[in-house]
Amino acid sequence: MLNQTPNLDQMFQALADPTRRAMIDRLSRGPASVSELAKPFDMSLPAVVQHLQALEASGLVSSQKVGRVRTCQIEPAALSLAEQWLNERRTLWMQRLDRLGEYLEATAGEEEPK
Amino acid sequence: MLNQTPNLDQMFQALADPTRRAMIDRLSRGPASVSELAKPFDMSLPAVVQHLQALEASGLVSSQKVGRVRTCQIEPAALSLAEQWLNERRTLWMQRLDRLGEYLEATAGEEEPK
DNA sequence: TTGTTACTTAATTTTATGCTTAACCAAACT
DNA sequence: AGTTTGGTTAAGCATAAAATTAAGTAACAA
C-alpha cells in the first residue's frame, strides 16, 4: 500500500532518531523484513515496529505484508523532498553571498584605493 | 562564535519543527536579529529564543551579539551535511533499482520469449 | 493438530519538547 | 538619572515520544 502525504514535520522527525536513520541506511541497500531490520538493535520488537511506523507515517519508507512477513523499502521520492527543501534554502543563502561578494569587489578601492 | 560539532540527530530534530523551518527560511534570505525572527510568530520571545537555541546547537544557524542585538545567519555547510546524508542513501537505493532493471531486461525472454 | 515464527495490540512508564509567565540585565535614548 | 528596547534566565506545566512487558493473532511447518 502506498503511504501518507509526505509531510516535512514527520519526515525530519523520523530522521532525527539514530535507530531510524540506521534502518534507512539498511534499507538503502535493499528491501528487508521487520525482523531483519530489528536484528542489529538491542531493543524489543515492538519498539522497532514503532520506529518503523514513524518512518512509514512520514512517507520515507513503505511496506507490504505477504503471508506473515512484512517487507519494507525506501521511498526515494520522499527522501528527495527533504533533500530539496534543504538545497533550496542553502542555495538561496549562497547566491546572496555571491552577490554580496561581487558587490564588494565592484566597489573595492572607491573609498580607499590601494 | 562558531558552533557545535554538527550532529545529525540535533540537525534533523531542529528541522522537524515548522517554526524552526520558517526561521531557516527567513534566514536563507539574509541575516536577522532575534526580534526580527520573532515578529512573524504568535509566540513569546523566550519561546522563539529556545527554538533559536535548538538551531544553534544543531549547527544549522550561528549568531553573534553586537551591543544588545544578536544577529543570526544560516550555516550552509551544516545544511549541506544533512542534504548529503539523504542524497547518499537515496542514490544508493536508486542505483540498486537501476541494476535490477538492467538484469530484468537482460534476462527477459529467457523463460518466456515474446 | 500442535508448535513455531513473524509480527501486532495494548497498557504503562519515563523522558523530552514546546510553551508560558515572571523577573532580570545591560545597551541606547531622552 | 530614568526609561525604553532587545534579549536572557528560571521555573513550571501540558503534551508527545521512546521504550518496556504482557498478551494475542495468523501463517506456515512438522
Side-chain angles (χ1 to χ4, degrees), chain B residues 60-78:
Chain B
L60 289 166
V61 164
S62 66
S63 73
Q64 15 0 272
K65 201 169 178 175
V66 172
R68 60 186 168 169
V69 1
R70 174 172 300 279
T71 304
C72 308
Q73 57 271 142
I74 274 186
E75 217 49 64

Side-chain angles (χ1 to χ4, degrees), chain A residues 9 12-13, chain B residues 12-22 43 51:
Chain A
D9 274 40
F12 285 125
Q13 183 63 48
Chain B
F12 285 125
Q13 185 61 50
L15 290 164
D17 185 280
T19 302
R20 290 192 291 256
R21 283 202 308 282
M43 187 186 294
H51 282 301

Side-chain angles (χ1 to χ4, degrees), chain A residues 13 17 19-20 42-44 46-47 50-51 67-68:
Chain A
Q13 183 63 48
D17 185 280
T19 302
R20 290 192 292 256
D42 182 23
M43 185 186 295
S44 68
Q50 283 178 57
H51 282 300
R68 59 188 167 164

Side-chain angles (χ1 to χ4, degrees), chain A residues 14 17 19-20 23 43 46-56:
Chain A
D17 185 280
T19 302
R20 290 192 292 256
M23 287 176 172
M43 185 186 295
V48 168
V49 172
Q50 283 178 57
H51 282 300
L52 225 26
Q53 282 167 351
L55 286 167
E56 261 194 272

Side-chain angles (χ1 to χ4, degrees), chain B residues 21-86:
Chain B
R21 283 202 308 282
M23 288 176 171
I24 290 189
D25 203 46
R26 164 62 188 81
L27 290 176
S28 71
R29 284 155 181 79
S33 71
V34 171
S35 29
E36 280 175 318
L37 280 173
K39 222 165 285 174
F41 305 108
D42 182 23
M43 187 186 294
S44 68
L45 223 220
V48 168
V49 172
Q50 283 174 44
H51 282 301
L52 226 26
Q53 283 168 352
L55 287 167
E56 262 195 272
S58 75
L60 289 166
V61 164
S62 66
S63 73
Q64 15 0 272
K65 201 169 178 175
V66 172
R68 60 186 168 169
V69 1
R70 174 172 300 279
T71 304
C72 308
Q73 57 271 142
I74 274 186
E75 217 49 64
L79 284 245
S80 174
L81 217 92
E83 223 177 305
Q84 270 176 255
W85 191 92
L86 293 163

Side-chain angles (χ1 to χ4, degrees), chain A residues 97-113:
Chain A
L97 274 196
D98 286 351
R99 285 196 304 276
L100 187 61
E102 280 166 28
Y103 168 78
L104 289 178
E105 205 160 315
T107 57
E110 279 187 10
E111 281 291 327
E112 31 174 356

Side-chain angles (χ1 to χ4, degrees), chain A residues 21 44 94-95 114:
Chain A
R21 282 202 310 282
S44 68
M94 289 173 64
Q95 282 163 19
K114 219 223 217 108

